Amino acid sequence: PLALFFYVLFLLIFGRFASAAFAGLVFGYVCYDTLHYAIHHFPMKHGAWLWLKQYHLRHHYRDANTGFGISSPLWDYVFRTTRR
């Protein structure tokens, strides 16, 4: 039902390009959800992957009101939800 809602919304906004825009939305969501799953379930032991995992897990286990970023902290800076 939620996908149908967004598809209809995209039809109203994008017209004949709605299918392409909706496919982009779905692809982006699948990438996001896959990364979120990987952060929780795969051993990320080095570099940026480790930093990203630690960043996200602090959101779950230290402060649920900050650190919402999954693939990047960008939106935490935009919405001022970074940690101090």
Side-chain angles (χ1 to χ4, degrees):
L2 193 56
L4 182 61
F5 168 77
F6 277 105
Y7 187 73
V8 170
L9 182 64
F10 276 39
L11 277 173
L12 295 172
I13 295 170
F14 297 109
R16 67 185 180 130
F17 300 108
S19 294
F22 185 72
L25 174 78
V26 170
F27 178 74
Y29 179 75
V30 168
C31 289
Y32 158 83
D33 206 34
T34 301
L35 183 58
H36 188 229
Y37 180 85
I39 284 173
H40 280 277
H41 299 285
F42 295 151
M44 297 178 178
K45 298 180 181 178
H46 304 288
W49 292 114
L50 175 61
W51 180 86
L52 193 58
K53 182 173 187 144
Q54 291 170 342
Y55 183 85
H56 179 66
L57 292 181
R58 272 186 241 123
H59 162 73
H60 284 293
Y61 298 111
R62 284 196 190 159
D63 186 359
N65 297 314
T66 62
F68 293 93
I70 301 295
S71 58
S72 132
L74 171 68
W75 294 110
D76 288 322
Y77 288 105
V78 171
F79 293 111
R80 296 189 171 116
T81 57
T82 55
R83 283 175 203 83
R84 295 178 199 165

